[in-house]
Amino acid sequence: MATIGFHQHDHSHCIATALSQAESKCAERKLQFTPARRRVLEILLEKHRAMGAYEILDILAAEGIGSQPPVVYRALDFLVQHGFVHRIERLNAYTACAHPTRDHVPAFLVCRQCKAVAEAETELTQGRLGIAAGKTGFHIERIVVEAEGLCPDCAGAQA
Amino acid sequence: MATIGFHQHDHSHCIATALSQAESKCAERKLQFTPARRRVLEILLEKHRAMGAYEILDILAAEGIGSQPPVVYRALDFLVQHGFVHRIERLNAYTACAHPTRDHVPAFLVCRQCKAVAEAETELTQGRLGIAAGKTGFHIERIVVEAEGLCPDCAGAQA
DNA sequence: GCCAAGATGTAATAACATATCAATGCGAGG
DNA sequence: CCTCGCATTGATATGTTATTACATCTTGGC
Ligand SMILES: [Zn+2]
Ligand SMILES: [Zn+2]
Ligand SMILES: [Zn+2]
Ligand SMILES: [Zn+2]
């Protein structure tokens, strides 16, 4: 059992599922799902939380996969590029996508205390931001939405 | 003349205005608007774009105000804390608030090419993100919204 | 097999941020 | 006036995150 999106669940098999989905997707698109890329995604799925690049690198180093920063940054770039992983700007950290099969605009709830992260989705309509962009002629390609606050656990522990 | 919010305008006097507004606000709240803090805000107002901490520090160093990182980070912390400056997570950079008199939830349009930044406002209603948060018991305290794309200038230059 | 594109190995460095502790200034209460 | 407490500053060191640069190797199309 592990904490995901702030509730408990058994995800022993969803790692395998996500990995094989990623594998298929790469095959379709003629992308190379190399060992380092695969292992980084697997690590993020296993831990099921946001991890810093160097935290991942430590694991790779221990396993003899690579010990230099570019090893992990290249893998992360690939995974982020193709939507298997999201970067949490607020934390300078990375987390496996919670619904990699759907095309989506990710949004995150980030606990400022324990750093737990839950992935939600925002509406595609860009509201006042889209309107502001339109007025000025700005062309939006991507939107970062990250809410910061207290997760249920930490809020409860405040007592 | 300078680029602000992606259109031209003369803001020779708005620096002075913003500074004196900040001064009043600090006086009201019994905050110390010290020389370093004042100068950092002034620099951000002058340049009128997002600046990295070390870029600001270089200026402070040249002026003999201070050359060590804590000098600029302390000033930035203060200015961000009190709403005179916003941090752009996507860029690890800082920019003077475009409407410091109003209480607001800032949102940004960030050009991926030239790094120009425009500040907009988002609705306070948190839409589906708020709903998702409510369901899981997450308590939102702050929301980061940063749109990435191309500003009119860069889009034009694409040719 | 040959070539070009993509991926990896490796070293060095850049960019961003914080920890720690001593020293200083300054107002409120005695 | 004194001094206690608190915010600020000074100074040094260190921690953390990310990129550049260049050599080498692999892969897949031809
Ligand atoms: Zn996702
Ligand atoms: Zn928490
Ligand atoms: Zn603002
Ligand atoms: Zn631009």
Side-chain angles (χ1 to χ4, degrees):
Chain A
M1 305 286 257
T3 301
I4 301 174
F6 309 134
H7 29 263
Q8 300 286 311
H9 91 203
D10 172 8
H11 69 295
S12 52
H13 71 291
C14 51
I15 295 171
T17 308
L19 278 176
S20 70
Q21 282 174 352
E23 201 152 2
S24 322
K25 211 161 168 182
C26 286
E28 273 175 35
R29 305 189 199 168
K30 314 259 189 209
L31 301 172
Q32 302 182 42
F33 197 49
T34 63
R37 293 169 178 178
R38 184 191 179 86
R39 184 64 187 122
V40 169
L41 177 55
E42 191 177 26
I43 288 167
L44 285 169
L45 287 164
E46 281 169 0
K47 303 288 185 181
H48 222 299
R49 60 183 170 79
M51 298 179 74
Y54 279 72
E55 191 184 353
I56 296 168
L57 182 57
D58 285 345
I59 296 174
L60 297 182
E63 295 175 355
I65 297 174
S67 60
Q68 304 301 321
V71 172
V72 70
Y73 281 103
R74 284 164 178 163
L76 287 169
D77 283 352
F78 173 89
L79 295 168
V80 167
Q81 188 97 28
H82 297 97
F84 302 122
V85 164
H86 298 297
R87 176 181 162 86
I88 313 293
E89 300 293 343
R90 189 67 186 74
L91 301 176
N92 295 329
Y94 304 82
T95 191
C97 177
H99 16 66
T101 54
R102 287 207 297 280
D103 211 26
H104 61 291
V105 176
F108 300 92
L109 303 172
V110 180
C111 178
R112 69 168 150 80
Q113 192 160 297
C114 69
K115 309 300 181 197
V117 171
E119 181 175 349
E121 291 183 41
T122 39
E123 46 271 63
L124 291 164
T125 94
Q126 295 159 357
R128 274 165 64 180
L129 186 57
I131 294 168
K135 271 189 204 160
T136 54
F138 186 94
H139 178 239
I140 294 178
E141 293 170 344
R142 187 172 92 93
I143 301 191
V144 172
V145 179
E146 298 175 8
E148 188 177 352
L150 279 183
C151 73
D153 289 357
C154 290
Q158 290 281 305
Chain B
M1 304 287 257
T3 302
I4 300 173
F6 309 133
H7 27 263
Q8 301 287 313
H9 89 202
D10 171 9
H11 67 296
S12 53
H13 71 292
C14 51
I15 295 172
T17 308
L19 278 177
S20 71
Q21 282 173 351
E23 198 153 4
S24 321
K25 212 161 168 183
C26 286
E28 273 174 34
R29 305 189 200 167
K30 314 260 188 207
L31 301 172
Q32 302 182 43
F33 197 50
T34 64
R37 292 169 179 177
R38 182 191 182 86
R39 184 64 187 124
V40 169
L41 177 55
E42 191 176 25
I43 288 167
L44 285 170
L45 287 165
E46 281 169 0
K47 302 288 184 180
H48 222 297
R49 60 182 170 80
M51 298 179 75
Y54 279 69
E55 191 184 353
I56 297 168
L57 182 57
D58 285 346
I59 297 174
L60 297 182
E63 296 176 353
I65 296 174
S67 60
Q68 302 306 317
V71 172
V72 70
Y73 281 105
R74 284 165 177 164
L76 287 169
D77 283 352
F78 173 90
L79 294 169
V80 168
Q81 188 96 29
H82 297 97
F84 302 122
V85 164
H86 298 298
R87 176 182 162 83
I88 312 295
E89 300 292 342
R90 187 68 186 74
L91 301 177
N92 295 328
Y94 304 82
T95 191
C97 177
H99 16 67
T101 53
R102 288 207 295 281
D103 213 24
H104 60 291
V105 176
F108 300 92
L109 302 174
V110 180
C111 179
R112 71 168 150 80
Q113 191 159 299
C114 69
K115 308 302 181 195
V117 171
E119 180 175 349
E121 289 183 41
T122 39
E123 46 272 63
L124 291 163
T125 94
Q126 296 158 355
R128 274 165 66 180
L129 185 58
I131 294 168
K135 271 188 203 160
T136 54
F138 186 94
H139 178 240
I140 294 177
E141 294 170 344
R142 187 171 92 93
I143 301 190
V144 172
V145 178
E146 298 175 8
E148 187 177 352
L150 279 184
C151 74
D153 288 356
C154 291
Q158 290 280 303

